[in-house]
Amino acid sequence: MALSNETIKIIKSTAPVLEVHGATITTVFYKNMFINHPELLNMFNEVNQKQGKQQQALANLVYAAAKNIDQLENVLEEVTLVANKHRGLGVKPEHYPIVGKYLLLAIKEVLGDAATDDIMNAWEETYGVIAQVFIDMEEEMYKEAEAQVGGWDGFKDFIITDKVKESNIITSFYLKAKDEKAIANYEAGQYLTIRATIPNEEYMQIRHYTISAAPGADTYRISVKKETDCTPHGKVSTYLHDLVNVGDTIEASAPAGTFILEENERPVTFISGGVGITPMISMLERLSSTQSNRKINFVHGARNESIHAFHDHINELVAALPNASYTYGYSDLDSLNHGDFKGYITKEVLEKTVTEDTLCYVVGPVPFMKHIAQLLKEIGLDDSNIRYELFGPAQDILVESPQA
């Protein structure tokens, strides 16, 4: 269904308003939707809601869609990213009318008299078109996930076959299909969506965890940092670390995600902070399993030695590759060991491993990724050569380059 020229004109004219009031609109939207449909709390990350991340991410997407309503292909990357997460969460066509109802009500509530009938009608029509884009894309994703060898639809039971402490705060869990069937393959860098039923919790808890091992095994491995800074931020990770043991069952949907290793001959640098190391391990293992001749640099920053996961394993993988290097350091200034650099990753560190044709993968806390992206741009790397993954809702880490 194509939008009329008049509708497109109205929607584009409201984009500046959404840029200003978008987060307020989406906050009202989520509040009212959950009041009337609390069952949907089984599908949403409680932490991202409480921290306002989900609200801001939706506001950004709605604004981008409004601004590009006549050229939606401009936001295809963002739509694909969200659709992958929806497929992992189990979002289905029947959920979209609910979302549309409360999104439109929120626009009307926040904008008040400024939300004229013409504007509301235009947004109702536009939401229908955008929702159908998601529904069609996600339908193909569901079919693909189920049709592949070892694939499945929805959530499936997995047995924990091993639990390995990788550092003081990161533990790996090995998952084997409870039905003992083959598991679906995946691309290095993708994630599993885990659904946990935690004692004394009213709603199920869902989280995305990167698969931290190369494709090809008969198990999945996820490596989880135990979050202790606040509750409920650490609710699921604490449950996994403290209450889930070998032999226990957890649920997972099929692998998903757009942050994947590009398998070509270009030089590649992996730059991670903290638990951001997990997708990098999967990618490095993949390159090792193929005995890649690519120029590979692995750069990692951690707070201190005790929380640095996979250190020995990385050394082994790098040593077995013909053109690989490993650089690491710790930010705790009183740490006894500082590895190859002291403090945070600097431009000088990156200049040793990155050239203008290097493909860089960046994962870690958002401030870390913004810092790294800025440094990469300062040394002349184009945005098109930077790949990054967020463990939470989408946002842009590629800040503007400094003026000369």
Side-chain angles (χ1 to χ4, degrees), residues 51-305:
Q51 294 179 342
K53 293 180 180 179
Q54 193 73 55
Q55 295 89 329
Q56 188 60 58
L58 178 59
N60 292 344
L61 184 59
V62 172
Y63 168 65
K67 190 170 65 171
N68 294 278
I69 194 60
D70 53 343
Q71 294 178 301
L72 284 176
E73 63 273 14
N74 291 344
V75 294
L76 180 61
E77 185 176 342
E78 292 91 336
V79 169
T80 304
L81 176 69
V82 173
N84 266 268
K85 293 192 174 183
H86 283 179
R87 205 277 293 152
L89 295 168
V91 174
K92 293 296 178 72
E94 58 265 29
H95 295 123
Y96 281 93
I98 299 172
V99 170
K101 174 183 177 179
Y102 290 99
L103 183 59
L104 292 172
L105 287 172
I107 292 173
K108 182 66 176 176
E109 179 178 336
V110 173
L111 299 187
D113 293 341
T116 63
D117 288 346
D118 285 345
I119 287 176
M120 294 310 301
N121 290 336
W123 266 105
E124 183 175 4
E125 183 184 352
T126 299
Y127 175 79
V129 170
I130 294 173
Q132 196 60 50
V133 170
F134 276 102
I135 289 169
D136 292 345
M137 184 177 290
E138 289 157 16
E139 180 182 12
E140 290 304 310
M141 290 179 177
Y142 281 112
K143 288 179 180 178
E144 183 179 340
E146 186 174 14
Q148 66 179 307
V149 175
W152 71 96
D153 184 27
F155 285 85
K156 177 175 177 174
D157 285 343
F158 284 81
I159 302 293
I160 305 298
T161 61
D162 203 2
K163 182 177 177 181
V164 178
K165 189 172 182 178
E166 308 289 0
S167 76
N168 284 355
I169 60 172
I170 296 176
T171 294
S172 289
F173 299 82
Y174 290 76
L175 285 61
K176 190 176 182 68
K178 188 174 182 179
D179 61 13
E180 299 186 347
K181 293 182 179 179
I183 59 174
N185 202 11
Y186 58 93
E187 300 283 348
Q190 290 190 304
Y191 56 80
L192 287 181
T193 303
I194 301 296
R195 186 166 70 183
T197 302
I198 301 176
N200 302 317
E201 289 294 328
E202 184 176 3
Y203 300 105
M204 290 182 287
Q205 302 291 316
I206 293 186
R207 300 290 188 273
H208 303 299
Y209 290 116
T210 302
I211 306 171
S212 61
D218 62 353
T219 60
Y220 297 122
R221 181 178 72 193
I222 59 172
S223 301
V224 180
K225 175 187 175 185
K226 186 176 182 180
E227 302 285 356
T228 58
D229 54 340
C230 65
T231 300
H233 191 43
K235 189 176 291 183
V236 176
S237 65
T238 298
Y239 167 72
L240 292 172
H241 276 250
D242 295 350
L243 298 179
V244 172
N245 295 299
V246 173
D248 290 342
T249 300
I250 61 173
E251 294 181 294
S253 63
T258 60
F259 182 75
I260 59 175
L261 176 67
E262 296 178 22
E263 301 206 28
N264 50 46
E265 297 306 312
R266 292 183 59 187
V268 59
T269 295
F270 303 112
I271 309 165
S272 57
V275 74
I277 200 170
T278 54
M280 311 306 197
I281 290 295
S282 176
M283 294 181 182
L284 186 63
E285 285 190 0
R286 171 61 182 169
L287 292 171
S288 176
S289 70
T290 60
Q291 276 298 290
S292 174
N293 286 313
R294 294 171 72 172
K295 182 172 176 55
I296 302 163
N297 296 294
F298 198 104
V299 181
H300 182 67
R303 198 162 65 246
N304 55 54
E305 201 172 10

Side-chain angles (χ1 to χ4, degrees), residues 360-377:
C360 288
Y361 291 82
V362 184
V363 185
V366 171
F368 168 87
M369 291 195 290
K370 287 185 175 180
H371 167 69
I372 296 299
Q374 181 62 47
L375 295 182
L376 291 173
K377 294 173 78 169

